[in-house]
Coordinates of all heavy atoms in Angstrom, one line a residue:
W207 N -20.8 1.2 -38.3 CA -21.5 1.7 -37.1 C -21.6 0.6 -36.0 O -22.2 0.9 -35.0 CB -22.9 2.2 -37.5 CG -22.8 3.4 -38.4 CD1 -22.9 3.5 -39.7 CD2 -22.6 4.8 -38.0 NE1 -22.7 4.8 -40.2 CE2 -22.6 5.6 -39.1 CE3 -22.4 5.3 -36.7 CZ2 -22.4 7.0 -39.0 CZ3 -22.2 6.7 -36.7 CH2 -22.2 7.5 -37.8
E208 N -21.2 -0.5 -36.2 CA -21.2 -1.6 -35.2 C -20.4 -1.2 -34.0 O -20.8 -1.4 -32.8 CB -20.7 -2.9 -35.7 CG -21.7 -3.6 -36.6 CD -21.2 -5.0 -37.0 OE1 -20.5 -5.6 -36.2 OE2 -21.5 -5.4 -38.1
A209 N -19.3 -0.5 -34.2 CA -18.4 -0.2 -33.1 C -19.0 1.0 -32.3 O -18.7 1.2 -31.1 CB -17.0 0.2 -33.6
A210 N -19.8 1.8 -32.9 CA -20.4 2.9 -32.2 C -21.3 2.5 -31.0 O -21.3 3.1 -29.9 CB -21.3 3.8 -33.1
D211 N -21.9 1.3 -31.1 CA -22.7 0.8 -30.0 C -21.8 0.4 -28.8 O -22.1 0.7 -27.7 CB -23.5 -0.4 -30.5 CG -24.5 -0.9 -29.4 OD1 -25.1 -0.1 -28.7 OD2 -24.7 -2.1 -29.3
D212 N -20.7 -0.1 -29.1 CA -19.7 -0.5 -28.1 C -19.2 0.7 -27.4 O -19.1 0.8 -26.1 CB -18.6 -1.3 -28.7 CG -19.0 -2.7 -29.2 OD1 -20.1 -3.2 -28.7 OD2 -18.4 -3.2 -30.1
Y213 N -18.8 1.7 -28.1 CA -18.3 3.0 -27.5 C -19.4 3.7 -26.7 O -19.1 4.2 -25.7 CB -17.7 3.9 -28.6 CG -16.5 3.3 -29.3 CD1 -16.4 3.2 -30.7 CD2 -15.4 2.9 -28.5 CE1 -15.3 2.7 -31.3 CE2 -14.3 2.4 -29.1 CZ -14.2 2.3 -30.5 OH -13.1 1.8 -31.1
A214 N -20.6 3.7 -27.2 CA -21.7 4.3 -26.4 C -21.9 3.6 -25.1 O -22.2 4.2 -24.1 CB -23.0 4.3 -27.3
A215 N -21.8 2.3 -25.1 CA -21.9 1.5 -23.9 C -20.8 1.8 -22.9 O -21.0 1.9 -21.7 CB -21.9 0.0 -24.2
L216 N -19.6 2.0 -23.4 CA -18.4 2.4 -22.6 C -18.7 3.8 -21.9 O -18.4 4.0 -20.8 CB -17.1 2.3 -23.3 CG -16.6 1.0 -23.7 CD1 -15.4 1.1 -24.6 CD2 -16.2 0.2 -22.4
V217 N -19.2 4.7 -22.7 CA -19.4 6.0 -22.2 C -20.5 6.0 -21.1 O -20.4 6.6 -20.1 CB -19.8 7.0 -23.4 CG1 -20.4 8.3 -22.8 CG2 -18.6 7.2 -24.3
A218 N -21.6 5.2 -21.4 CA -22.6 5.1 -20.4 C -22.1 4.4 -19.1 O -22.5 4.8 -18.0 CB -23.8 4.3 -21.0
A219 N -21.3 3.4 -19.3 CA -20.7 2.7 -18.1 C -19.8 3.7 -17.3 O -19.8 3.7 -16.1 CB -19.9 1.5 -18.5
A220 N -19.1 4.5 -18.0 CA -18.2 5.5 -17.3 C -19.1 6.5 -16.5 O -18.8 6.9 -15.4 CB -17.3 6.2 -18.3
I221 N -20.1 7.0 -17.2 CA -21.0 8.0 -16.5 C -21.7 7.3 -15.3 O -21.7 8.0 -14.2 CB -22.1 8.5 -17.5 CG1 -21.4 9.4 -18.5 CG2 -23.2 9.2 -16.7 CD1 -22.4 9.7 -19.7
I222 N -22.1 6.1 -15.4 CA -22.7 5.4 -14.2 C -21.7 5.2 -13.1 O -22.0 5.4 -11.9 CB -23.3 4.0 -14.7 CG1 -24.5 4.3 -15.5 CG2 -23.6 3.2 -13.5 CD1 -25.0 3.0 -16.2
A223 N -20.4 4.9 -13.4 CA -19.4 4.7 -12.4 C -19.0 6.0 -11.8 O -18.9 6.0 -10.5 CB -18.1 4.1 -13.1
I224 N -18.9 7.1 -12.5 CA -18.6 8.4 -11.9 C -19.7 8.8 -11.0 O -19.5 9.2 -9.8 CB -18.4 9.4 -13.0 CG1 -17.0 9.1 -13.7 CG2 -18.3 10.8 -12.4 CD1 -16.8 9.9 -15.0
N225 N -21.0 8.7 -11.4 CA -22.1 9.1 -10.5 C -22.2 8.2 -9.3 O -22.5 8.6 -8.2 CB -23.4 9.1 -11.3 CG -23.5 10.3 -12.2 OD1 -23.0 11.3 -11.9 ND2 -24.2 10.1 -13.3
G226 N -21.9 6.9 -9.5 CA -21.9 6.0 -8.3 C -20.8 6.4 -7.3 O -21.1 6.4 -6.1
G227 N -19.6 6.8 -7.8 CA -18.6 7.2 -6.9 C -19.0 8.5 -6.2 O -18.7 8.7 -5.0
R228 N -19.6 9.4 -6.9 CA -20.0 10.7 -6.3 C -21.1 10.5 -5.2 O -21.2 11.2 -4.2 CB -20.6 11.6 -7.3 CG -19.4 12.2 -8.2 CD -20.0 13.0 -9.3 NE -20.7 14.2 -8.8 CZ -21.5 14.9 -9.5 NH1 -21.7 14.7 -10.8 NH2 -22.2 15.9 -8.9
L229 N -21.9 9.5 -5.4 CA -22.9 9.1 -4.3 C -22.3 8.4 -3.2 O -22.8 8.5 -2.0 CB -24.1 8.3 -5.0 CG -25.0 9.1 -5.9 CD1 -25.9 8.1 -6.6 CD2 -25.8 10.1 -5.2
L230 N -21.3 7.6 -3.5 CA -20.7 6.7 -2.4 C -19.8 7.5 -1.5 O -19.8 7.2 -0.3 CB -19.9 5.6 -3.1 CG -19.2 4.6 -2.2 CD1 -20.2 3.8 -1.4 CD2 -18.3 3.8 -3.0
M231 N -19.1 8.5 -2.0 CA -18.1 9.1 -1.2 C -18.6 9.8 0.1 O -18.0 9.7 1.2 CB -17.3 10.1 -2.0 CG -16.3 9.4 -3.0 SD -15.3 8.1 -2.3 CE -14.2 9.1 -1.4
P232 N -19.7 10.6 0.0 CA -20.2 11.2 1.3 C -20.6 10.2 2.3 O -20.4 10.4 3.5 CB -21.4 12.1 0.8 CG -21.2 12.3 -0.6 CD -20.4 11.1 -1.1
S233 N -21.2 9.1 1.9 CA -21.6 8.1 2.8 C -20.4 7.4 3.4 O -20.4 7.1 4.6 CB -22.5 7.0 2.1 OG -23.7 7.6 1.6
L234 N -19.4 7.2 2.6 CA -18.2 6.5 3.1 C -17.5 7.5 4.1 O -17.0 7.0 5.1 CB -17.3 6.2 1.9 CG -16.0 5.4 2.2 CD1 -16.4 4.1 2.8 CD2 -15.2 5.3 1.0
H235 N -17.5 8.8 3.9 CA -16.9 9.7 4.8 C -17.6 9.7 6.1 O -17.0 9.8 7.2 CB -16.8 11.1 4.2 CG -15.8 11.3 3.1 ND1 -14.5 10.9 3.3 CD2 -16.0 11.7 1.9 CE1 -13.9 11.2 2.1 NE2 -14.8 11.7 1.3
D236 N -18.9 9.6 6.1 CA -19.7 9.5 7.3 C -19.4 8.2 8.1 O -19.3 8.3 9.3 CB -21.2 9.6 7.0 CG -21.6 11.0 6.6 OD1 -20.8 12.0 6.8 OD2 -22.7 11.2 6.1
L237 N -19.3 7.2 7.4 CA -19.0 5.9 8.1 C -17.6 5.9 8.7 O -17.4 5.2 9.7 CB -19.1 4.7 7.1 CG -20.5 4.3 6.6 CD1 -20.5 3.3 5.5 CD2 -21.3 3.8 7.8
M238 N -16.7 6.6 8.1 CA -15.3 6.7 8.6 C -15.1 7.8 9.6 O -14.0 8.1 10.0 CB -14.3 6.8 7.4 CG -14.4 5.7 6.4 SD -14.0 4.1 7.2 CE -12.3 4.3 7.5
D239 N -16.2 8.4 10.1 CA -16.1 9.5 11.1 C -15.3 10.6 10.7 O -14.4 11.1 11.5 CB -15.7 8.9 12.5 CG -16.8 8.2 13.2 OD1 -17.9 8.4 12.8 OD2 -16.5 7.4 14.1
R240 N -15.4 11.1 9.5 CA -14.6 12.2 9.0 C -15.1 13.5 9.8 O -16.3 13.6 10.0 CB -14.8 12.4 7.5 CG -14.0 13.6 7.0 CD -14.3 13.8 5.5 NE -15.7 14.3 5.3 CZ -16.1 14.9 4.3 NH1 -15.3 15.1 3.3 NH2 -17.3 15.3 4.2
Q241 N -14.2 14.3 10.1 CA -14.5 15.6 10.8 C -15.3 16.5 9.8 O -14.9 16.6 8.7 CB -13.3 16.2 11.3 CG -13.5 17.4 12.2 CD -12.7 17.4 13.4 OE1 -12.3 16.3 13.9 NE2 -12.4 18.5 14.0
P242 N -16.3 17.2 10.3 CA -17.0 18.1 9.4 C -16.2 19.3 9.0 O -15.0 19.5 9.4 CB -18.2 18.6 10.2 CG -18.0 18.1 11.6 CD -16.9 17.2 11.6
E243 N -16.7 20.2 8.1 CA -16.0 21.3 7.6 C -15.6 22.3 8.7 O -16.2 22.3 9.7 CB -16.8 22.0 6.5 CG -18.1 22.6 7.0 CD -19.3 21.6 7.0 OE1 -19.1 20.5 6.6 OE2 -20.3 22.0 7.6
D244 N -14.6 23.1 8.4 CA -14.0 24.0 9.4 C -15.0 25.1 9.8 O -14.9 25.6 10.9 CB -12.8 24.7 8.8 CG -11.6 23.7 8.6 OD1 -11.6 22.7 9.4 OD2 -10.7 24.0 7.8
A245 N -16.0 25.5 9.0 CA -16.9 26.5 9.3 C -17.8 26.0 10.5 O -18.1 26.8 11.4 CB -17.8 26.8 8.1
L246 N -18.2 24.7 10.5 CA -19.0 24.2 11.6 C -18.1 24.2 12.9 O -18.6 24.5 14.0 CB -19.5 22.8 11.3 CG -20.3 22.1 12.4 CD1 -21.6 22.9 12.7 CD2 -20.7 20.7 12.0
L247 N -16.9 23.8 12.8 CA -16.0 23.7 14.0 C -15.8 25.1 14.6 O -15.8 25.3 15.8 CB -14.7 23.1 13.6 CG -14.7 21.6 13.2 CD1 -13.3 21.2 12.7 CD2 -15.2 20.8 14.3
E248 N -15.7 26.1 13.7 CA -15.5 27.5 14.1 C -16.7 27.9 14.9 O -16.6 28.6 16.0 CB -15.2 28.4 12.9 CG -15.1 29.8 13.2 CD -13.7 30.2 13.6 OE1 -12.8 29.4 13.2 OE2 -13.5 31.2 14.1
R249 N -17.9 27.7 14.4 CA -19.2 28.1 15.0 C -19.3 27.4 16.4 O -19.7 28.0 17.4 CB -20.4 27.8 14.1 CG -20.5 28.7 13.0 CD -21.7 28.4 12.1 NE -22.8 27.8 12.7 CZ -23.6 27.0 12.1 NH1 -23.4 26.6 10.9 NH2 -24.7 26.5 12.8
L250 N -19.0 26.1 16.5 CA -19.1 25.4 17.7 C -18.1 26.0 18.8 O -18.4 26.1 19.9 CB -18.8 23.9 17.5 CG -19.9 23.2 16.8 CD1 -19.5 21.8 16.5 CD2 -21.2 23.1 17.7
G251 N -16.9 26.3 18.3 CA -15.9 26.8 19.2 C -16.3 28.2 19.7 O -16.1 28.5 20.9
L252 N -16.8 29.0 18.9 CA -17.3 30.3 19.3 C -18.5 30.2 20.3 O -18.6 31.0 21.3 CB -17.7 31.2 18.1 CG -16.5 31.6 17.2 CD1 -17.1 32.4 16.0 CD2 -15.6 32.5 18.0
A253 N -19.4 29.3 20.0 CA -20.5 29.1 20.9 C -20.0 28.6 22.3 O -20.5 29.0 23.3 CB -21.5 28.1 20.4
A254 N -19.0 27.7 22.3 CA -18.4 27.2 23.6 C -17.8 28.4 24.4 O -17.8 28.4 25.6 CB -17.5 26.1 23.4
L255 N -17.1 29.2 23.7 CA -16.4 30.4 24.4 C -17.3 31.4 24.9 O -17.0 32.2 25.8 CB -15.4 31.0 23.4 CG -14.2 30.2 23.1 CD1 -13.3 30.9 22.0 CD2 -13.3 30.0 24.3
E256 N -18.6 31.4 24.4 CA -19.6 32.4 25.0 C -20.2 31.9 26.3 O -20.8 32.7 27.0 CB -20.7 32.5 23.9 CG -20.3 33.3 22.7 CD -21.4 33.5 21.7 OE1 -22.5 33.0 22.0 OE2 -21.1 34.1 20.7
V257 N -19.9 30.7 26.7 CA -20.5 30.2 28.0 C -19.7 30.8 29.1 O -18.4 30.8 29.1 CB -20.3 28.6 28.0 CG1 -20.7 28.1 29.4 CG2 -21.2 28.0 27.0
P258 N -20.4 31.4 30.1 CA -19.6 32.0 31.2 C -18.7 31.1 31.9 O -19.1 29.9 32.2 CB -20.8 32.5 32.1 CG -22.0 32.5 31.3 CD -21.8 31.5 30.2
G259 N -17.5 31.5 32.2 CA -16.5 30.7 32.9 C -15.6 29.9 32.0 O -14.5 29.5 32.5
V260 N -15.8 29.8 30.7 CA -15.0 29.1 29.8 C -13.8 30.0 29.4 O -14.1 31.1 28.9 CB -15.7 28.5 28.6 CG1 -14.8 27.9 27.6 CG2 -16.8 27.5 29.0
L261 N -12.6 29.6 29.6 CA -11.4 30.4 29.3 C -10.8 30.0 28.0 O -10.4 30.8 27.2 CB -10.4 30.3 30.4 CG -10.8 30.7 31.8 CD1 -9.8 30.5 32.8 CD2 -11.2 32.2 31.8
H262 N -10.7 28.7 27.7 CA -10.0 28.2 26.6 C -10.5 26.8 26.2 O -10.9 26.0 27.0 CB -8.5 28.1 26.9 CG -7.7 27.5 25.8 ND1 -7.4 28.3 24.7 CD2 -7.0 26.4 25.7 CE1 -6.6 27.6 23.9 NE2 -6.4 26.4 24.5
I263 N -10.5 26.5 24.9 CA -10.9 25.2 24.4 C -9.6 24.4 24.1 O -8.8 24.8 23.3 CB -11.7 25.4 23.0 CG1 -13.0 26.1 23.3 CG2 -12.0 24.0 22.5 CD1 -13.8 26.5 22.1
E264 N -9.5 23.3 24.8 CA -8.4 22.4 24.6 C -8.6 21.5 23.4 O -7.7 21.4 22.5 CB -8.1 21.6 25.8 CG -7.6 22.4 27.0 CD -7.4 21.6 28.2 OE1 -7.4 20.3 28.1 OE2 -7.1 22.1 29.3
K265 N -9.7 20.8 23.4 CA -10.0 19.8 22.3 C -11.4 20.0 21.8 O -12.3 20.2 22.6 CB -9.8 18.4 22.8 CG -8.4 18.0 23.2 CD -8.4 16.5 23.7 CE -7.1 16.2 24.2 NZ -7.1 14.9 24.9
L266 N -11.6 19.9 20.5 CA -12.9 20.0 19.9 C -13.0 18.9 18.9 O -12.4 19.0 17.8 CB -13.2 21.3 19.4 CG -14.5 21.5 18.6 CD1 -15.7 21.3 19.6 CD2 -14.6 22.9 18.0
R267 N -13.8 17.9 19.1 CA -14.0 16.8 18.2 C -15.4 16.6 17.9 O -16.3 16.6 18.8 CB -13.4 15.5 18.7 CG -11.9 15.5 19.0 CD -11.5 14.1 19.4 NE -10.1 14.2 19.7 CZ -9.5 13.6 20.8 NH1 -10.3 13.0 21.7 NH2 -8.2 13.7 21.0
V268 N -15.7 16.5 16.6 CA -17.1 16.4 16.1 C -17.2 15.3 15.2 O -16.4 15.1 14.3 CB -17.6 17.7 15.4 CG1 -19.0 17.7 15.0 CG2 -17.3 18.9 16.4
R269 N -18.3 14.5 15.3 CA -18.5 13.4 14.3 C -20.0 13.4 14.1 O -20.8 13.7 14.9 CB -18.0 12.1 14.8 CG -18.6 11.5 16.0 CD -17.9 10.2 16.4 NE -18.5 9.7 17.6 CZ -19.4 8.8 17.7 NH1 -19.9 8.3 16.6 NH2 -19.8 8.4 18.9
K270 N -20.4 12.9 12.9 CA -21.8 12.8 12.5 C -22.3 11.4 12.9 O -21.6 10.4 12.6 CB -21.9 13.1 11.0 CG -23.3 13.3 10.6 CD -23.4 13.8 9.2 CE -24.8 14.1 8.8 NZ -24.9 14.5 7.4
H271 N -23.5 11.4 13.4 CA -24.1 10.2 13.8 C -25.6 10.3 13.3 O -26.4 11.0 13.9 CB -24.1 10.0 15.3 CG -24.7 8.7 15.7 ND1 -24.1 7.5 15.5 CD2 -25.9 8.4 16.3 CE1 -24.8 6.5 16.0 NE2 -25.9 7.0 16.5
G272 N -25.8 9.7 12.1 CA -27.2 9.8 11.5 C -27.4 11.2 11.0 O -26.6 11.8 10.3
M273 N -28.4 11.9 11.5 CA -28.7 13.3 11.1 C -28.2 14.3 12.1 O -28.4 15.5 12.0 CB -30.2 13.5 10.9 CG -30.8 12.6 9.8 SD -30.1 13.0 8.2 CE -30.8 14.6 7.9
H274 N -27.5 13.8 13.2 CA -27.0 14.7 14.3 C -25.5 14.6 14.4 O -24.9 13.7 13.8 CB -27.7 14.2 15.6 CG -29.1 14.1 15.6 ND1 -29.9 15.2 15.6 CD2 -30.0 13.0 15.4 CE1 -31.2 14.8 15.6 NE2 -31.3 13.5 15.4
Y275 N -25.0 15.6 15.1 CA -23.6 15.6 15.4 C -23.3 15.4 16.8 O -24.0 15.9 17.7 CB -23.0 17.0 15.0 CG -22.9 17.3 13.5 CD1 -23.9 18.0 12.9 CD2 -21.9 16.8 12.8 CE1 -23.8 18.3 11.5 CE2 -21.8 17.0 11.4 CZ -22.8 17.7 10.8 OH -22.7 17.9 9.4
H276 N -22.3 14.6 17.1 CA -21.8 14.4 18.5 C -20.6 15.2 18.7 O -19.6 15.1 17.9 CB -21.6 12.9 18.8 CG -22.8 12.1 18.9 ND1 -23.4 11.8 20.1 CD2 -23.6 11.6 17.9 CE1 -24.5 11.1 19.8 NE2 -24.6 10.9 18.5
V277 N -20.6 16.0 19.8 CA -19.4 16.9 20.0 C -18.7 16.5 21.3 O -19.4 16.3 22.3 CB -19.9 18.4 20.2 CG1 -18.8 19.3 20.5 CG2 -20.7 18.8 18.9
D278 N -17.4 16.3 21.2 CA -16.6 16.0 22.4 C -15.7 17.3 22.6 O -14.9 17.7 21.7 CB -15.7 14.8 22.1 CG -14.8 14.4 23.3 OD1 -15.2 14.9 24.4 OD2 -13.9 13.7 23.1
L279 N -15.9 17.9 23.7 CA -15.3 19.2 24.0 C -14.6 19.2 25.3 O -15.2 18.9 26.3 CB -16.5 20.3 24.0 CG -16.1 21.7 24.2 CD1 -15.3 22.2 23.0 CD2 -17.4 22.5 24.3
H280 N -13.4 19.6 25.3 CA -12.6 19.8 26.5 C -12.2 21.2 26.7 O -11.6 21.8 25.8 CB -11.3 18.9 26.5 CG -11.6 17.5 26.5 ND1 -10.9 16.6 27.3 CD2 -12.4 16.7 25.7 CE1 -11.3 15.4 27.1 NE2 -12.2 15.4 26.1
V281 N -12.6 21.8 27.8 CA -12.4 23.3 28.0 C -11.6 23.5 29.3 O -11.6 22.7 30.2 CB -13.7 24.1 28.0 CG1 -14.4 24.0 26.7 CG2 -14.6 23.7 29.1
Q282 N -10.9 24.7 29.3 CA -10.4 25.2 30.6 C -11.4 26.2 31.1 O -11.9 27.0 30.4 CB -9.1 25.9 30.4 CG -7.9 24.9 30.0 CD -6.7 25.7 29.8 OE1 -6.6 26.9 29.8 NE2 -5.6 24.9 29.5
A283 N -11.7 26.0 32.4 CA -12.7 26.9 33.0 C -12.1 27.5 34.3 O -11.2 27.0 34.9 CB -14.0 26.1 33.3
E284 N -12.8 28.5 34.8 CA -12.4 29.1 36.0 C -12.7 28.1 37.2 O -13.7 27.4 37.1 CB -13.2 30.4 36.3 CG -13.0 31.5 35.3 CD -13.8 32.7 35.5 OE1 -14.6 32.7 36.4 OE2 -13.7 33.6 34.7
P285 N -11.8 28.1 38.2 CA -12.1 27.2 39.3 C -13.3 27.5 40.1 O -13.8 28.6 40.1 CB -10.8 27.3 40.2 CG -10.0 28.4 39.6 CD -10.6 28.9 38.3

């Protein structure tokens, strides 16, 4: 039963490493300015098209900054 302690420690270390990776990845994505999910982009695009005078969306870039999102939006509008 001496080896069982070693194997249990390896299993515990693997569980800790997997959970650490799962906690690290969302923070790493935020630091690397990953674009949010497509559903949020779709909602922002539809909201921009509802503004009077907006004809077309050329560029829509979104990044997370803390608890907020910064939106960079280029649109075509009526002259």
Side-chain angles (χ1 to χ4, degrees):
W207 292 98
E208 285 183 33
D211 187 38
D212 296 334
Y213 293 126
L216 286 174
V217 169
I221 290 172
I222 290 170
I224 290 169
N225 285 328
R228 289 176 57 195
L229 289 171
L230 178 68
M231 290 310 290
S233 299
L234 188 61
H235 289 306
D236 288 344
L237 287 173
M238 299 301 290
D239 284 339
R240 182 182 69 160
Q241 189 136 332
E243 62 277 353
D244 291 335
L246 179 63
L247 296 175
E248 179 88 17
R249 286 181 28 215
L250 289 170
L252 291 174
L255 288 173
E256 289 179 2
V257 174
V260 173
L261 300 175
H262 178 70
I263 297 173
E264 292 180 9
K265 296 178 187 173
L266 176 61
R267 295 186 185 133
V268 181
R269 64 185 177 96
K270 192 170 183 181
H271 183 74
M273 297 299 289
H274 305 284
Y275 288 100
H276 287 263
V277 179
D278 183 18
L279 181 67
H280 294 230
V281 297
Q282 291 179 354
E284 296 178 3

